[in-house]
Amino acid sequence: MRPETRSAAIAAAVILVGAVVVIYFLPSLVLWIGQYSPALAFVVGAVLLLGFFWIFWLRARYQRRR
């Protein structure tokens, strides 16, 4: 396996594991925050879900420049 292929595989694995952890704990986190402020719970949920796509967008921009 070439070094750049290994690096891409490791990066994808880290992003995937991070996304699975966030999505697994997201409902309980949003419900817990929603006890204090429903609007804040919405914002936190939206930021965490959009963050997943933002990371892939940033990675694509970085790869396009390289």
Side-chain angles (χ1 to χ4, degrees):
M1 185 180 275
R2 295 184 323 202
E4 55 270 358
T5 306
R6 180 180 295 163
S7 174
I10 291 171
V14 168
I15 292 170
L16 187 62
V17 167
V20 167
V21 168
V22 167
I23 290 171
Y24 181 78
F25 289 110
L26 185 64
S28 57
L29 178 67
V30 168
L31 287 173
W32 178 72
I33 294 173
Q35 292 175 352
Y36 303 105
S37 170
L40 182 61
F42 173 79
V43 169
V44 168
V47 166
L48 288 176
L49 284 177
L50 291 174
F52 175 70
F53 296 104
W54 181 68
I55 286 184
F56 279 117
W57 177 74
L58 282 177
R59 177 124 174 102
R61 283 189 60 189
Y62 174 74
Q63 291 295 331
R64 203 173 317 134
R65 272 194 235 150
R66 266 176 96 195

